[in-house]
């Protein structure tokens, strides 16, 4: 027994040594991708197709969130850093500066398509027809006092009917992503802020007290009407099914996969269906990006070919396999422009 | 003592007896209730997993008569040939009256994109089949699979389904012709991860778990045993060793994500080992399991009776001989049990692996410890988060695989203990 133990220990030490030697000398022969969990399902689909139809290895994709992705991406240039970062928002100026500081000079930005954020409830209940103003009133922590709009009070609305007399008389119960989620940021930016701008008293705040304006427009109520349902959207779908009174917030692909159980709420007169999101009638949608390190193209095998696959019509076109996965294709002209950027590896210049 | 008093004591005892028996009965009943309740929870948990997951071990296949058309397959360039076209041609021959681009698109969506890859593998491994027609069972799309298994409803309006009325008619025809049936899902055990539920498998995750655990075992077992032997047999008892002991016990209770952060800082950033590889995963899990193994090993060393040590020393064995020849063999079963429990814990861990990039989409099955890899619990987590409905059953199936591996490991622990344990 003991001899075995000793030989095991020796073998493991040897292997460790060998491993380090290899790691130090060898490059990487697969593409490494990090970033947004929203882009992850699309990026992985392209990676799989790419791996199976070309002689290159399948890229490795980590779901780290957009911010976490940029942190890894901008850590430096070299084979031990990622080649591509997925993002559900545009790269920030501070992130570009951080990249440059660490030697990542040229970044290629490709807009791959759009993602719709939907509100949905169970098919057992009635479909909701909401405006962004309704949603702001239903979800904000502080709202203008209904009697005196210049004063702000803690959100008094308990039912949808109180928010807007045309809505059904059911309790407000919203299941949505936690504050760390990019989906929630996008929801606040695209629903809450336009909703709150419809009040003159809040508009006035914007000029006088910027912090107060931000807090009023961006803070979601914490009295139990909005429930953090975690990052797992499948869980929200299950909860909506069990509780027909609740409304959930999540990405379009989850609504698309569950059309037999859920219905999307109409927002500002347009329902979250593929065509209306693609045409821009449905307001709550955001662009999705991938960022590529130009210096890695040619060093890591397959980057150009991977971008070609991603930007091909068979992938991101109207009938492509990404649309099947729930990606909303960009308009044709935008696709053409971005495909050209990907082909030329034109570096991003921020104004 | 006078007899009267003693009878009154007896009477007192006799009076209190029913009450005491009652107390004991209630106590036993409470214990039984606890057991029944836990069993009930376990049955509900395993039951739901099994009910949701067992269907994943079957996959709907469609029988196609594929003509390996020499026009489409250029012998010199077999890797880049259009294999999807072979599948589409076969579908077209089966339903010749389907016309129009969108109708054909719908028809072809019944087949999985994996069908073309399967043909590709066949042609490349044996090019002589070009020019022949073969009748093959190829995987159907996950939507078809879900419909056949009853996970998506048929009898609802078309707008509430992902399959159109026309597609349902075609599926019906295929079933009537005996061209569509559920078969054993071998791909689930053969393939790595995939974004298509019908092609996704646990092979990559199993191999990743295997390599990771090998590294963990090879490092943590010898180091843990050596540390335990030193602390138990050689180390002087002073404040310093007390401090070490307290620290080891504390380390065993530290949240595992801390070890992940440490791994990120030390193994990735300082030593520059490859991110997402099973070797780094194994190193991090080694740190996590070491305290468990050391504590278990020390306990089993303590359990060896002092008489054994004294007898060995008494007949002239050196301290090292005493330990190597007598104490260690007797303590080994306990050490192995501790190690396997530590390994089982490591097998179920995801949090520390998040920090070192093992929570990732990896299609290629890892071939060694350097390759990017993921492990079984991470695979379960990733699938649980996927929108496609087919992944719900696959998540449960992967949990069943993980539980089976755990069961085997724990059974090994019990077997080893019974086989080598000495009682005195």
């Amino acid at each position: 027994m003991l001899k075995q133990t000793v030989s095991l220990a020796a073998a493991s030490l040897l292997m460790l040594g060998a491993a380090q030697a290899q790691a130090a000398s060898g490059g990487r022969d697969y593409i490494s991708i990090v970033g947004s969990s929203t882009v992850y399902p699309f990026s992985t689909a392209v990676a799989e197709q790419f791996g199976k139809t070309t002689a290159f290895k399948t890229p490795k994709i980590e779901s780290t969130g957009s911010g976490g992705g940029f942190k890894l991406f901008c850590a430096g240039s070299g084979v031990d850093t990622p080649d591509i970062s997925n993002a559900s928002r545009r790269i920030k100026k501070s992130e570009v500066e951080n990249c440059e500081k660490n030697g990542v000079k040229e970044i290629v930005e490709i807009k791959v398509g759009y993602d719709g954020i939907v509100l949905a409830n169970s098919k057992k209940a009635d479909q909701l027809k909401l405006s962004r103003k309704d949603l702001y009133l239903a979800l904000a922590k502080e709202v203008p006092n209904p009697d005196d709009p210049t004063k702000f009070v803690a959100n008094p609305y308990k039912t949808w009917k109180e928010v807007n007399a045309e809505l059904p008389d059911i309790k407000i119960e919203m299941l949505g992503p936690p504050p760390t989620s990019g989906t929630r940021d996008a929801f606040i930016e695209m629903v809450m802020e336009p909703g709150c701008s419809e009040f003159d008293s809040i508009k006035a705040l914007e000029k006088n007290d910027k912090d107060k304006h931000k807090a009023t427009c961006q803070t979601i109520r914490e009295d139990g009407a909005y429930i953090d349902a975690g990052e797992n959207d499948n869980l929200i779908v299950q909860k909506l099914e069990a509780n027909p009174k609740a409304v959930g917030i999540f990405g379009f692909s989850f609504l698309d996969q569950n059309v037999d159980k859920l219905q999307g709420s109409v927002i500002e007169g347009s329902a979250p269906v593929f065509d209306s999101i693609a045409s821009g009638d449905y307001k709550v949608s955001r662009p999705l990006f991938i960022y590529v390190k130009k210096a890695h193209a040619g060093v890591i095998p397959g980057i150009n070919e991977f971008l070609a696959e991603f930007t091909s019509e068979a992938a991101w076109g109207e009938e492509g396999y990404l649309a099947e996965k729930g990606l909303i294709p960009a308009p044709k002209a935008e696709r053409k422009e971005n495909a050209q950027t990907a082909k030329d590896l034109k570096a991003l210049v921020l104004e | 003592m006078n007899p009267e008093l003693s009878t009154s004591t007896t009477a007192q005892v006799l009076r209190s007896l029913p009450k005491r028996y009652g107390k004991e009965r209630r106590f036993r009943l409470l214990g039984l209730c606890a057991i029944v309740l836990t069993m009930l929870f376990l049955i509900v948990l395993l039951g739901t997993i099994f009910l949701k997951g067992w269907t994943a071990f079957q996959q709907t296949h469609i029988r196609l008569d594929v003509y390996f058309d020499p026009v489409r397959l250029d012998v010199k360039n077999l890797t880049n040939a259009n294999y999807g076209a072979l599948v589409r041609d076969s579908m077209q021959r089966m339903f010749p009256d389907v016309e129009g681009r969108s109708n054909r698109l719908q028809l072809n969506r019944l087949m999985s994109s994996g069908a073309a890859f399967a043909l590709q593998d066949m042609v490349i491994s044996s090019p002589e089949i070009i020019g022949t027609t073969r009748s093959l069972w190829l995987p159907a799309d996950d939507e078809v699979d879900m419909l056949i298994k009853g996970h998506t409803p048929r009898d609802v309006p078309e707008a509430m389904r992902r399959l159109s009325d026309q597609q349902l008619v075609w599926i019906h025809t295929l079933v009537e012709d005996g061209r569509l049936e559920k078969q054993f899902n071998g791909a689930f055990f053969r393939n790595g991860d995939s974004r298509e539920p019908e092609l996704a498998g646990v092979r990559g995750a199993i191999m990743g778990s295997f390599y990771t655990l090998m590294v963990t075992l090879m490092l943590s077992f010898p180091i843990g045993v050596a540390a335990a032997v030193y602390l138990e047999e050689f180390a002087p008892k002073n404040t310093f060793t007390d401090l070490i002991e307290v620290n080891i016990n504390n380390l065993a209770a530290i949240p595992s994500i801390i070890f992940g952060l440490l791994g990120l800082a030390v193994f990735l950033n300082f030593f520059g080992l490859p991110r997402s590889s099973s070797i780094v995963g194994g190193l991090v899990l080694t740190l996590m399991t070491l305290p468990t193994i050391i504590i278990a090993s020390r306990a089993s060393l303590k359990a060896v009776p002092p008489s054994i040590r004294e007898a060995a020393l008494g007949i002239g064995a050196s301290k090292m001989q005493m330990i190597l020849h007598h104490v260690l063999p007797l303590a080994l079963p306990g050490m192995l049990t501790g190690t396997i429990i530590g390994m089982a814990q490591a097998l179920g861990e995801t949090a520390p692996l998040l920090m070192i990039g093992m929570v990732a989409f990896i299609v290629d099955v890892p071939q060694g410890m350097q390759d990017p890899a993921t492990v079984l619990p991470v695979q379960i987590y990733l699938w649980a988060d996927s929108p496609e409905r087919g992944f719900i059953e696959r998540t449960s199936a992967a949990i069943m695989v993980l539980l089976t591996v755990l069961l085997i490991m724990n059974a090994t622990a019990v077997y080893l203990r019974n086989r080598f344990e000495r009682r005195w």
Side-chain angles (χ1 to χ4, degrees):
Chain A
M1 272 294 189
L2 189 83
K3 273 191 190 149
Q4 281 170 10
T5 316
V6 172
S7 56
L8 277 186
S12 57
L13 281 179
L14 268 177
M15 269 188 320
L16 200 65
Q20 261 184 328
Q22 272 184 37
S25 65
R28 176 156 52 80
D29 59 350
Y30 55 88
I31 301 171
S32 167
I33 304 175
V34 293
S36 163
S37 54
T38 312
V39 189
Y40 173 89
F42 311 125
S43 209
T44 46
V46 177
E48 190 176 352
Q49 185 71 21
F50 171 75
K52 283 185 174 152
T53 52
T54 64
F56 298 103
K57 281 198 173 178
T58 311
K60 179 195 88 184
I61 301 171
E62 286 178 52
S63 165
T64 60
S66 302
F70 283 130
K71 221 172 138 190
L72 288 165
F73 182 77
C74 291
S77 191
V79 287
D80 53 347
T81 57
D83 312 312
I84 297 176
S85 186
N86 296 328
S88 56
R89 58 169 170 80
R90 231 179 152 203
I91 192 166
K92 288 181 194 156
K93 206 159 180 234
S94 58
E95 284 162 339
V96 174
E97 281 160 7
N98 183 32
C99 259
E100 275 177 4
K101 205 177 77 207
N102 292 325
V104 186
K105 294 269 186 296
E106 289 180 299
I107 307 168
V108 183
E109 178 188 73
I110 301 158
K111 191 194 271 182
V112 293
Y114 290 83
D115 171 47
I117 295 175
V118 302
L119 273 79
N121 61 355
S122 164
K123 285 234 153 141
K124 287 172 226 153
D126 295 330
Q127 189 179 35
L128 290 173
K129 294 188 173 57
L130 302 162
S131 69
R132 285 179 285 191
K133 190 175 162 188
D134 296 339
L135 280 166
Y136 168 72
L137 287 178
L139 293 177
K141 192 177 178 190
E142 283 193 338
V143 294
N145 190 336
D147 306 322
D148 175 14
T150 53
K151 299 274 185 309
F152 292 94
V153 290
N155 197 329
Y157 303 111
K158 298 272 179 247
T159 66
W160 289 104
K161 201 180 173 74
E162 288 169 23
V163 171
N164 181 343
E166 287 166 22
L167 291 170
D169 188 14
I170 45 176
K171 219 177 120 209
I172 299 172
E173 265 182 273
M174 187 72 92
L175 299 167
T180 47
S181 155
T183 310
R184 175 142 155 188
D185 291 346
F187 179 78
I188 288 175
E189 187 189 319
M190 293 181 299
V191 174
M192 298 292 283
E193 286 185 358
C196 85
S197 312
E198 287 183 30
F199 291 90
D200 293 333
S201 58
I202 297 178
K203 265 196 181 150
L205 263 184
E206 194 170 5
K207 292 191 193 91
N208 307 327
D209 189 349
K210 278 221 156 111
D211 287 342
K212 173 81 178 158
H213 175 260
K214 204 176 155 190
T216 319
C217 287
Q218 299 192 348
T219 317
I220 295 217
R221 64 199 290 185
E222 289 153 358
D223 57 355
Y226 181 91
I227 304 151
D228 272 357
E231 294 270 12
N232 189 331
D233 289 353
N234 270 326
L235 213 61
I236 300 186
V237 172
Q238 279 176 24
K239 284 181 182 160
L240 291 180
E241 219 189 329
N243 177 5
K245 284 179 186 153
V247 183
I249 304 174
F250 41 83
F252 172 71
S253 41
F254 284 85
L255 176 64
D256 194 33
Q257 290 286 337
N258 290 292
V259 280
D260 55 329
K261 295 175 184 165
L262 304 178
Q263 56 191 351
S265 307
V266 174
I267 295 178
E268 302 284 351
S270 86
V273 291
F274 192 89
D275 293 334
S276 69
I277 305 176
S279 68
D281 285 345
Y282 185 78
K283 297 288 179 244
V284 198
S285 76
R286 57 176 161 172
L288 303 176
F289 299 93
I290 61 173
Y291 290 87
V292 188
K293 249 177 228 172
K294 194 174 175 182
H296 282 200
V299 180
I300 305 292
I303 290 187
N304 293 320
E305 290 81 356
F306 177 75
L307 293 180
E309 173 68 40
F310 214 135
T311 57
S312 69
E313 283 297 303
W316 73 356
E318 269 122 22
E319 306 250 320
Y321 55 83
L322 290 180
E324 190 102 325
K325 293 268 168 213
L327 180 81
I328 310 294
K332 201 160 186 174
E334 230 175 85
R335 287 207 301 271
K336 207 175 154 199
E337 193 191 316
N338 279 287
Q340 196 59 40
T341 311
K343 206 171 160 213
D344 305 339
L345 290 173
K346 203 169 96 205
L348 167 76
V349 185
L350 277 190
E351 305 80 45
Chain B
M1 261 190 204
N2 82 40
E4 269 185 19
L5 200 76
S6 88
T7 44
S8 89
T9 317
T10 324
Q12 248 182 354
V13 169
L14 279 177
R15 264 202 312 278
S16 71
L17 263 186
K19 212 175 154 191
R20 279 161 63 197
Y21 281 139
K23 261 187 188 167
E24 192 187 325
R25 268 200 307 277
R26 280 197 296 279
F27 186 68
R28 273 166 51 182
L29 201 69
L30 269 178
L32 194 68
C33 281
I35 295 284
V36 169
L37 205 65
T38 30
M39 291 297 283
L40 216 65
F41 281 136
L42 193 69
I43 289 169
V44 169
L45 179 73
L46 292 181
T48 38
I49 290 172
F50 182 78
L51 281 181
K52 269 191 188 168
W54 73 273
T55 45
F57 295 112
Q58 286 192 316
Q59 159 70 34
T60 309
H61 284 71
I62 296 175
R63 188 158 56 102
L64 285 187
D65 298 321
V66 182
Y67 173 52
F68 290 93
D69 194 343
V71 181
R72 293 210 186 263
L73 299 168
D74 176 10
V75 187
K76 292 185 203 79
N77 191 6
L78 283 179
T79 38
N80 290 333
N82 188 353
Y83 293 94
L86 293 185
V87 178
R88 288 196 288 275
D89 291 350
S90 316
M91 289 299 268
Q92 187 67 48
R93 270 197 304 280
M94 224 155 32
F95 296 97
D97 33 324
V98 174
E99 274 170 19
R101 187 168 177 279
S102 76
N103 275 337
R104 276 191 214 139
L105 205 67
Q106 276 202 26
L107 177 65
N108 291 322
R109 288 221 173 117
L110 296 182
M111 291 306 295
S112 161
S113 59
F117 301 134
L119 295 184
Q120 182 176 9
D121 288 346
M122 278 180 73
V123 171
I124 288 175
S125 65
S126 51
E128 64 273 11
I129 57 171
I130 295 173
T132 63
T133 300
R134 297 280 170 99
S135 179
L136 300 168
W137 285 102
L138 294 167
D141 189 63
D142 56 319
E143 303 292 349
V144 179
D145 192 39
M146 289 296 104
L147 184 87
I148 297 293
K149 286 173 179 168
H151 293 311
T152 49
R154 275 167 203 264
D155 47 358
V156 290
E158 193 170 9
M160 284 169 72
R161 275 189 259 115
R162 285 179 60 82
L163 290 169
S164 66
D165 288 342
Q166 181 61 56
Q167 281 172 315
L168 289 191
V169 172
W170 288 326
I171 291 171
H172 187 71
T173 321
L174 285 170
V175 176
E176 294 280 287
D177 295 352
R179 284 183 172 273
L180 188 148
E181 66 176 45
K182 283 189 282 184
Q183 293 176 342
F184 176 68
N185 188 0
F188 186 70
F189 297 98
R190 266 198 316 272
N191 293 356
D193 197 4
S194 169
R195 287 289 300 135
E196 306 296 332
E198 70 272 17
L199 303 178
V202 286
R203 174 88 180 275
I206 288 179
M207 290 316 285
S209 274
F210 172 75
Y211 286 125
T212 309
L213 284 187
M214 278 322 270
V215 175
T216 310
L217 181 68
M218 298 238 178
L219 290 173
S220 63
F221 184 63
I223 296 176
V225 169
V229 167
Y230 178 77
L231 283 174
E232 205 53 46
E233 305 287 340
F234 293 103
K237 290 270 171 282
N238 55 26
T239 341
F240 183 64
T241 46
D242 279 352
L243 194 74
I244 291 182
E245 186 164 350
V246 169
N247 273 313
I248 290 175
N249 289 339
N250 271 339
L251 275 179
I254 277 185
S256 54
I257 189 137
I258 309 283
F259 291 107
L261 285 167
L262 184 79
L264 174 67
V266 176
F267 301 127
L268 294 185
N269 295 345
F270 186 73
F271 286 115
L273 288 173
R275 196 178 160 83
S276 311
S277 63
S278 20
I279 184 151
V280 179
L283 285 167
V284 167
L285 293 177
T286 300
L287 296 179
M288 202 193 77
T289 43
L290 260 179
T292 316
I293 294 180
I294 295 177
I295 291 170
S297 301
R298 291 189 66 179
S300 68
L301 281 171
K302 275 199 186 100
V304 176
S307 54
I308 303 274
R309 293 188 179 81
E310 282 154 19
L313 291 176
I315 55 166
S318 70
K319 194 159 188 191
M320 192 172 155
Q321 282 172 326
M322 178 266 280
I323 291 166
L324 291 189
H325 296 176
H326 301 279
V327 178
L328 260 189
L330 287 174
L332 210 56
M335 292 176 166
L336 284 176
T337 316
T339 309
I340 290 177
I341 289 169
M343 289 291 121
Q345 197 188 349
L347 176 67
E349 207 49 77
T350 52
L353 304 180
L354 186 72
M355 307 310 300
I356 54 169
M358 285 184 84
V359 180
F361 176 73
I362 291 155
V363 173
D364 298 330
V365 176
Q367 304 295 322
M369 298 182 187
Q370 310 260 359
D371 289 347
T374 185
V375 293
L376 271 170
V378 169
Q379 190 67 76
I380 292 168
Y381 165 75
L382 287 175
W383 284 353
D385 218 10
S386 301
E388 288 83 6
R389 195 160 296 174
F391 278 118
I392 294 175
E393 57 168 27
R394 262 149 246 262
T395 308
S396 296
I399 294 173
M400 282 152 78
V401 171
L402 179 68
L403 285 178
T404 313
V405 175
L406 275 176
L407 215 64
I408 292 172
M409 284 176 71
N410 286 335
T412 322
V414 172
Y415 172 76
L416 284 176
R417 200 174 56 217
N418 291 345
R419 176 92 202 285
F420 295 109
E421 199 170 37
R422 282 269 289 276
R423 289 176 189 281
W424 44 75

